[in-house]
Amino acid sequence: MSSPTPSLSKVRAFPALESKAAARLASALEESADTTIFVNGTTLQLPDVAHAALIEVLTRMSRGDEVSVSTVESLLNTSQAATMAGISASYLRKLTDSGTIPVEYRGTHRRIRPASVQAWLDARAEGPSETLE
């Protein structure tokens, strides 16, 4: 089975920082793998992946770039969504055609959010099921 298609959603943009301040921050972070932050009086150490992301953001901001932060969400193809739902791919296509399960198109290819499949499964478990002909 192929892997889900990534979809960027929930984007938020941040303006560039003053270059000297951003460069100093990025340089300080690059000198150590340990990034400790203080939040509401609590000391927390950033995980490696958050440390790397922070360095990347500050480096870009120090170059004068505006930075966008977004969430990567998986999108399933028809076969993957059908497998998740425990139904045939042709039945899943009928459900997307009728609007019962929302679908996005990438060119002519259908892409379905896992949350949409789960919402359909949950609704089906709560009440009478729909039949499509």
Side-chain angles (χ1 to χ4, degrees), residues 14-69:
F14 298 92
L17 293 178
E18 187 274 315
S19 65
K20 286 183 183 178
R24 282 185 49 217
L25 284 170
S27 177
L29 288 169
E30 287 174 348
E31 290 176 7
S32 172
D34 173 21
T35 302
T36 303
I37 60 172
F38 299 95
V39 180
N40 293 330
T42 303
T43 303
L44 302 168
Q45 183 175 3
L46 288 182
D48 291 344
V49 68
H51 176 86
L54 188 55
I55 290 171
E56 183 67 23
V57 166
L58 291 172
T59 300
R60 290 178 187 213
M61 288 177 142
S62 71
R63 290 192 311 241
D65 296 338
E66 180 175 304
V67 176
S68 294
V69 177

Side-chain angles (χ1 to χ4, degrees), residues 80-88 91-92 117 120-121 124:
Q80 292 165 327
T83 299
M84 178 182 172
I87 59 176
S88 69
Y91 185 56
L92 183 104
V117 175
W120 176 77
L121 288 169
R124 215 173 132 194

Side-chain angles (χ1 to χ4, degrees), residues 102-125:
V103 64
E104 297 178 27
Y105 286 91
R106 299 294 185 264
T108 59
H109 300 280
R110 297 171 206 244
R111 295 293 181 254
I112 300 116
R113 295 180 188 280
S116 297
V117 175
Q118 189 60 54
W120 176 77
L121 288 169
D122 293 346
R124 215 173 132 194

